[in-house]
Amino acid sequence: MRTRFARALPLALPLVLLAGCNTLRGVGKDIEKAGEVIQDTADKNR
């Protein structure tokens, strides 16, 4: 059992990191879009 885990860990770790990266990228895009909306609204109400 331990050897299976030891073999699977190096394969699973990059997948977990990539999944986290995608999530952070999505959050970053959402924040960027919200900032653009705020900026556009501010520009219209000058």
Side-chain angles (χ1 to χ4, degrees), residues 2-3 5-6 8-10 12 17 20 22 24 26 29-30 32 34 37 40 42 44-45:
R2 190 172 198 170
T3 57
F5 179 74
L9 186 61
L17 293 175
N22 266 342
L24 292 176
K29 286 183 179 180
D30 291 343
E32 183 180 8
V37 169
D40 290 345
K44 288 178 184 177
N45 293 315

Side-chain angles (χ1 to χ4, degrees), residues 12-24:
L13 191 59
L15 294 176
V16 170
L17 293 175
L18 286 174
C21 183
N22 266 342
T23 302
L24 292 176

